[in-house]
Amino acid sequence: MSERSVAVVTGAASGIGRETVDQLLTEGWNVVAADVNSHNGERLLSEVDAACLPDRVEFVRTDVSDEAQVEAAINRAPERFGRLDSVINNAGVGGAFGPVTELEVEDWDYTFAVVTRGVFLGTKYAARVLKEAGHGGTIVNTGSLAGISGGAGPQAYSAAKAAVINFTRATAVELAQWRIRVNSVSPGFILTPILGSGGRHIERLQEDIQPWPETGRPHHVASVICFLAGPASSFVTGESINVDGGVTAAGPRVGDTVGGDPAARGLVGVARGSTGHESVVHRRIDRPDSAVVQRGT
Ligand SMILES: NC(=O)c1ccc[n+]([C@@H]2O[C@H](COP(=O)([O-])OP(=O)(O)OC[C@H]3O[C@@H](n4cnc5c(N)ncnc54)[C@H](O)[C@@H]3O)[C@@H](O)[C@H]2O)c1
């Protein structure tokens, strides 16, 4: 039996999950890769084979909304590799979309079954194995920017991801006494197949709402997942880390849109509001030599 750390990754056959498998392998982990898409799972195995690491990954076709399948995938880690250290509940779909008045109940339920039930089941069986083993461990859930705001995804997906983020906090509190840490990552806009045709607009998105001047890619998120899965984050639990190139930090960018931020108009100075003292524009950035005093802004 191996003494390497062992992870189960769901949604492992594409995008963020696929990159997480690679980064875990590079860091020396063994991995059970779980995904509902067998075709992409086979491709993952052949790529891992080509990298000469066939004995360190097992693919298990798993639908994360199915309790028996999740239990089997997680139990596969100790069966095949002798232990379990981390479960990464990452599988996801965009789910139901359209005006709320038109949403079908079965599409709403499908969204929650994959996004939220999948995380619940992954946590349930991870905690069983880890508690029994008694050596602690980690659970990392993939949330979303959509789970912390109203405008970043369809209604069902947003609600389901909000549930994932708070389920993470609740289970972190419950499981801390067994040294099981539970955290989530919330990606912003990451170029993966889940964006569908929306991926075409990612560069415009970057210009309009994302401060960091680089396209979000799976490796940006995978490295944070690996940090939360491993010992470097040993005092972090119940946390949600946004991996969004500063989108959340920027907020609604009202200043840029309605001109309320003088910096956007190239001005430098100090606003003293309704104190009765003067607000001052020291200079314009485009004409640094010009000094203007502006009263009463
Ligand atoms: N890409 C983004 O911009 C973005 C933003 C926020 C959150 N996320 C989240 O990141 C996670 C990974 O998504 P991604 O961007 O890599 O997309 P992706 O489509 O590339 O990968 C998602 C994987 O989940 C698998 N999956 C879907 N339903 C499943 C099920 N029932 N059981 C098992 N596997 C299932 C798919 O087969 C696929 O391999 C998801 O939870 C997604 O909601 C992505």
Side-chain angles (χ1 to χ4, degrees):
M1 290 295 178
S2 161
E3 279 312 298
R4 292 179 183 277
S5 295
V6 180
V8 176
V9 181
T10 74
S14 176
I16 293 166
R18 177 70 191 82
E19 178 66 30
T20 300
V21 172
D22 278 352
Q23 290 195 16
L24 287 169
L25 289 172
T26 302
E27 290 180 13
W29 295 63
N30 287 336
V31 179
V32 173
D35 203 292
V36 76
N37 188 325
S38 303
H39 175 76
N40 286 347
E42 293 304 325
R43 194 178 61 192
L44 179 155
L45 287 181
S46 64
E47 288 166 359
V48 168
D49 263 354
C52 301
L53 300 167
D55 295 336
R56 293 182 44 207
V57 180
E58 176 161 328
F59 174 72
V60 182
R61 193 213 169 259
T62 310
D63 179 344
V64 295
S65 66
D66 183 297
E67 181 158 16
Q69 292 185 32
V70 174
E71 181 180 16
I74 289 176
N75 288 342
R76 196 63 198 133
E79 285 162 13
R80 167 77 190 266
F81 296 116
R83 57 184 290 139
L84 175 70
D85 296 279
S86 185
V87 170
I88 293 152
N89 293 307
N90 166 76
V93 289
F97 57 86
V100 70
T101 48
E102 306 301 318
L103 295 185
E104 302 290 348
V105 167
E106 57 266 35
D107 296 338
W108 175 276
D109 288 348
Y110 164 72
T111 312
F112 271 74
V114 177
V115 173
T116 305
R117 191 200 300 163
V119 171
F120 154 57
L121 292 173
T123 304
K124 174 176 175 176
Y125 289 98
R128 282 196 179 178
V129 174
L130 294 172
K131 280 165 83 169
E132 170 78 20
H135 53 58
T138 58
I139 297 169
V140 185
N141 301 322
T142 305
S144 172
L145 202 54
I148 56 171
S149 65
Q155 313 88 335
Y157 180 82
S158 298
K161 288 293 191 183
V164 166
I165 293 166
N166 218 34
F167 178 74
T168 300
R169 296 188 183 106
T171 48
V173 172
E174 177 186 340
L175 297 172
Q177 61 189 301
W178 286 281
R179 293 181 172 270
I180 301 168
R181 297 186 294 107
V182 192
N183 291 290
S184 64
V185 291
S186 283
F189 301 96
I190 309 296
L191 198 54
T192 74
I194 208 172
L195 295 182
S197 58
R200 285 201 313 268
H201 305 298
I202 200 155
E203 278 169 13
R204 220 182 73 212
L205 229 152
Q206 215 172 286
E207 281 164 24
D208 292 349
I209 65 168
Q210 179 188 294
W212 193 256
E214 195 180 334
T215 298
R217 298 198 183 270
H219 72 88
H220 291 122
V221 184
S223 58
V224 180
I225 291 175
C226 292
F227 163 69
L228 291 172
S233 57
S234 63
F235 201 55
V236 180
T237 195
E239 189 54 77
S240 162
I241 300 183
N242 299 333
V243 188
D244 67 356
V247 172
T248 317
R253 309 198 84 164
V254 170
D256 293 1
T257 310
V258 301
D261 177 4
R265 303 197 301 274
L267 305 178
V268 180
V270 58
R272 296 200 168 90
S274 45
T275 58
H277 299 289
E278 278 178 356
S279 296
V280 177
V281 176
H282 299 299
R283 61 192 164 90
R284 293 179 187 281
I285 293 178
D286 49 346
R287 288 190 297 137
D289 52 338
S290 68
V292 187
V293 176
Q294 185 180 311
R295 295 176 193 280
T297 29

